[in-house]
Amino acid sequence: ITWTRDLLRDREEVRRTLQRRIRALIVDEFQDVDPAQRDIAFLLGAPEERRPDSTRLMLVGDPKQSIYRFRRADVTVWSGVQEAFESKGLGRVITLEENFRSVPAIVGFVDASVGKVLGAVPHPPQERAPYEVAHQPLRATRPRDPALPHPVELITLTGAGKTAIDQCRAVEAAAIARRVRELLDAGARRKDMAILLTGWGSLEIYESALRAADIHTYALLAEGFYERREVLDLLLALETLRDPRDDRALLGFLRSPFVGVRDETLLDIVRQTARPVWSRIRQAQVGEQVLLDFAVALIDDHVRLRDRIPIHELLTSLLEQSGYTAHLVALGQPGQQPLANVRKFLRLAREFRDGNVGDFLRAARESRKREEPEADERLYGQHEDVVTITSVHSAKGLQWPIVFWADLAREPRGVGNEPILVGRESLALKDPDEKDQGPAWTALKQQETDEATAEAKRLWYVAATRARDRLILSGFSDGTKVKETTAAATLSAALGLGTAAGDTLSYTDAAGNAFTARIHRVPTEVEPPILETAAFVAEPVPTSLAPIEVPAGRARHSATELMAFGRCARRHWFK
């Protein structure tokens, strides 16, 4: 992208040729472009030159959906272009005010919740900052559906108190699963539903709850493929075959499902060998000797094949002989995605024709280092009947009839304490020897924090505008666990949810039209299920059981426990 921008900027003949060839350049989602991409459009269009033979520009976008600041596509790029069009007369600014997607109740809910948050000036009486976007109400074109009295629903936890946040998420996920099941029983289809998460950290909680309700799901991950456990296992296996003397790779391979030895066995191996471990591993005597001997033979066989057969064939042989694939199959539903990722990894290895195992590992290492957005393998096609679970970032530009916006209690990602802060126009170095940083660092960190907060609000807008017919929000709570910076706390305050009584909440849109949302109040203290003993036929229990005599054997301790004992035996005894 940068080279293209530089070529158009520095070579007039190239720029003029493309301007004559490209008569009109229409850029959708223009709020997501970075400065270099903006420069490409302006170099081709040259609006300030007002030439009749240059490319015509049509830039379409919504600044309220600018959520890719992490790659420099911050909203100030859009704001600057709009300001140039308006103040310098470079073009017309046409405002689109109609919403063709959502029913009026959802459009009105956006006005009453996220719209209030975006509309408020964070630091009165100061003016709105360039990175802060005002809310622009839209007019719904779809009519109200009398058969759907409450298109907006809120799931709120009661009696949360000091309940741990993950336990609250588990209760919330179970409530979502019950609501999904109710909608399915009422005639809805799985593929018409999506569950949006602000972050992937709690994906397993929601997947497990839906799995328990026999609801098939598909996680639409747009990134993180190279961080999956199964992909890391495959990379460790290749690193081991490339050089078994790499202790980190070898021990990781032994601990992985390719072999599956325990931590205690790894400790025994390390104690009995020198570095590299591979040089004397055959002399090690451990409790899991059969597994260790199997692993050594497995590595020996495939090291001989390395660089003699294609990489994907080498991995296929290793997967089959080790039983790794069978391990994933035995997991059932939880193993389907890892199994699909293994197939994708083999496909990537088959398509790699630029070198040997070491070259392939270097390419994979570079992809991980650059954090390239490599997605998981798709389990289901676009039209299969499954519930989609995805992030709000990945959902932008998509829509579903029914959307669950979950985990509103998750705290937005803030600005960390990295040694270097990089802003839009400046950077600052942190002084590692000072507790209180200088004014440059402090000012830039405050600016980055303010911009991150403003972007979090735009992220909420994206989440609230993905639904066509029904929007269900969860993560509200009457307890003290929800922090003020979360979407749950902010939107609850904007809606007055804390003072709402009964099972409905009234709100109005920007034009004053009244709507009501349904409230599902879910108790946090989940009682254990009541078992109907009549459904069971039990054998009579004998009055006395014969004692089982088993020799005690050697006591086994984990590596962590042995280290704690080595530091202080008395403290270990008390613990």
Side-chain angles (χ1 to χ4, degrees):
I1 291 173
T2 305
W3 290 343
T4 303
R5 190 268 314 274
D6 294 347
L7 179 67
L8 293 174
R9 181 191 61 197
D10 302 335
R11 298 283 295 277
E12 183 179 0
E13 69 276 13
V14 175
R15 185 170 69 252
R16 294 303 185 196
T17 300
L18 287 177
Q19 286 175 335
R20 289 191 295 270
R21 181 183 302 171
I22 304 174
R23 300 305 303 151
L25 177 63
I26 304 174
V27 185
D28 196 11
E29 305 287 359
F30 194 77
Q31 78 279 346
D32 295 335
V33 304
D34 59 34
Q37 293 169 318
R38 172 204 57 199
D39 292 346
I40 291 174
F42 268 54
L43 285 166
L44 289 173
E48 294 185 350
E49 297 180 10
R50 293 177 170 82
R51 295 172 55 94
D53 59 346
S54 63
T55 303
R56 293 290 173 264
L57 294 181
M58 177 177 172
L59 312 177
V60 186
D62 182 0
K64 300 187 298 300
Q65 299 188 47
S66 176
I67 57 174
Y68 296 119
R69 192 173 65 95
F70 62 87
R71 63 172 183 81
R72 297 201 66 203
D74 63 82
V75 73
T76 60
V77 176
W78 171 278
S79 302
V81 172
Q82 183 173 344
E83 172 66 21
F85 270 52
E86 291 177 333
S87 63
K88 298 180 181 179
L90 301 184
R92 294 175 58 196
V93 176
I94 303 173
T95 302
L96 306 179
E97 298 178 344
E98 293 177 314
N99 181 300
F100 299 94
R101 172 185 296 163
S102 305
V103 295
I106 295 178
V107 177
F109 179 81
V110 174
D111 292 343
S113 57
V114 185
K116 283 185 179 179
V117 176
L118 286 174
V121 179
H123 309 292
Q126 302 176 12
E127 295 182 358
R128 197 181 303 275
Y131 52 82
E132 294 169 342
V133 179
H135 176 61
Q136 174 199 333
L138 299 178
R139 184 175 68 258
T141 60
R142 294 180 57 188
R144 291 195 183 193
D145 184 0
L148 188 60
H150 302 300
V152 177
E153 303 176 21
L154 310 174
I155 298 176
T156 180
L157 305 183
T158 62
K162 296 183 179 180
T163 307
I165 189 66
D166 277 345
Q167 183 178 341
C168 290
R169 286 194 178 100
V171 175
E172 173 195 344
I176 291 175
R178 287 194 297 270
R179 189 68 185 117
V180 170
R181 174 53 62 190
E182 291 171 357
L183 293 172
L184 291 174
D185 293 341
R189 299 177 300 179
R190 294 182 183 86
K191 66 180 181 180
D192 291 337
M193 302 185 197
I195 298 173
L196 308 187
L197 304 176
T198 307
W200 291 110
S202 303
L203 172 64
E204 179 57 31
I205 295 177
Y206 295 91
E207 278 187 327
S208 298
L210 292 163
R211 213 161 37 231
D214 194 25
I215 299 169
H216 296 297
T217 64
Y218 170 62
L220 184 59
L221 287 162
E223 56 189 11
F225 172 75
Y226 285 105
E227 303 304 320
R228 302 289 169 258
R229 181 67 264 169
E230 60 276 6
V231 175
L232 294 176
D233 287 342
L234 291 169
L235 291 173
L236 279 175
L238 282 178
E239 290 177 359
T240 303
L241 298 184
R242 182 184 62 86
D243 184 6
R245 296 169 300 175
D246 183 344
D247 288 348
R248 180 192 62 84
L250 175 62
L251 296 176
F253 177 77
L254 295 176
R255 188 65 180 85
S256 74
F258 278 104
V259 182
V261 301
R262 297 195 303 265
D263 290 339
E264 292 81 2
T265 300
L266 293 181
L267 184 62
D268 285 343
I269 294 172
V270 172
R271 281 177 168 172
Q272 297 178 38
T273 58
R275 293 193 176 186
V277 172
W278 181 253
S279 62
R280 296 180 55 187
I281 195 171
R282 293 168 179 80
Q283 286 77 45
Q285 298 296 319
V286 297
E288 296 177 300
Q289 193 66 43
V290 175
L291 277 180
L292 181 59
D293 293 342
F294 164 76
V296 171
L298 189 68
I299 295 171
D300 277 335
D301 291 344
H302 288 84
V303 165
R304 297 188 185 99
L305 293 174
R306 185 199 65 214
D307 299 332
R308 296 186 178 187
I309 62 175
I311 299 173
H312 71 280
E313 292 184 12
L314 181 71
L315 281 174
T316 300
S317 173
L318 187 68
L319 289 165
E320 291 175 353
Q321 293 189 34
S322 66
Y324 190 100
T325 309
H327 154 72
L328 295 180
V329 172
L331 293 176
Q333 177 71 20
Q336 289 188 9
Q337 185 63 63
L339 195 60
N341 286 341
V342 168
R343 290 197 295 267
K344 176 175 179 175
F345 192 90
L346 291 176
R347 186 174 69 250
L348 294 175
R350 183 170 59 249
E351 295 169 354
F352 184 82
R353 299 184 178 91
D354 297 333
N356 54 25
V357 171
D359 298 323
F360 179 77
L361 287 171
R362 276 190 292 274
R365 194 179 302 116
E366 286 299 316
S367 296
R368 292 186 64 197
K369 185 178 179 180
R370 290 192 298 266
E371 298 182 355
E372 293 179 354
E374 187 70 42
D376 284 347
E377 178 76 323
R378 294 204 64 163
L379 278 179
Y380 303 99
Q382 181 179 359
H383 303 291
E384 292 194 58
D385 194 21
V386 291
V387 176
T388 299
I389 304 179
T390 185
S391 68
V392 179
H393 279 93
S394 299
K396 196 173 82 66
L398 304 178
Q399 57 182 331
W400 294 268
I402 303 171
V403 170
F404 289 81
W405 179 12
D407 202 10
L408 271 73
R410 179 172 292 277
E411 193 172 4
R413 181 181 297 178
V415 179
N417 290 316
E418 291 83 2
I420 180 171
L421 277 182
V422 181
R424 282 184 289 107
E425 299 176 350
S426 62
L427 57 85
L429 291 172
K430 184 178 181 180
D431 190 338
D433 300 325
E434 294 292 337
K435 182 178 180 182
D436 298 326
Q437 299 298 315
W441 167 271
T442 304
L444 184 55
K445 183 171 184 180
Q446 184 61 51
Q447 178 184 330
E448 287 293 294
T449 301
D450 292 343
E451 293 197 28
T453 301
E455 186 178 56
K457 297 174 183 177
R458 298 194 295 271
L459 192 69
W460 302 343
Y461 178 85
V462 171
T465 54
R466 299 304 96 198
R468 295 204 299 262
D469 303 324
R470 195 188 296 265
L471 174 65
I472 303 172
L473 301 88
S474 65
F476 298 102
S477 173
D478 63 357
T480 58
K481 278 291 179 182
V482 179
K483 296 187 177 181
E484 295 181 356
T485 55
T486 63
T490 307
L491 300 186
S492 179
L495 293 165
L497 180 59
T499 59
D503 58 356
T504 58
L505 172 71
S506 299
Y507 62 92
T508 57
D509 64 8
N513 300 308
F515 303 93
T516 56
R518 180 182 174 187
I519 302 176
H520 301 273
R521 301 189 186 276
V522 180
T524 307
E525 298 82 3
V526 181
E527 297 181 359
I530 300 175
L531 299 179
E532 297 182 6
T533 54
F536 296 92
V537 178
E539 294 292 333
V541 180
T543 55
S544 61
L545 299 175
I548 300 175
E549 297 181 359
V550 179
R554 295 177 57 192
R556 296 185 179 274
H557 303 280
S558 68
T560 304
E561 186 179 1
L562 291 170
M563 290 168 63
F565 179 81
R567 285 192 296 268
C568 180
R570 184 175 179 83
R571 179 169 181 172
H572 174 268
W573 185 88
F574 276 114
K575 185 176 181 181

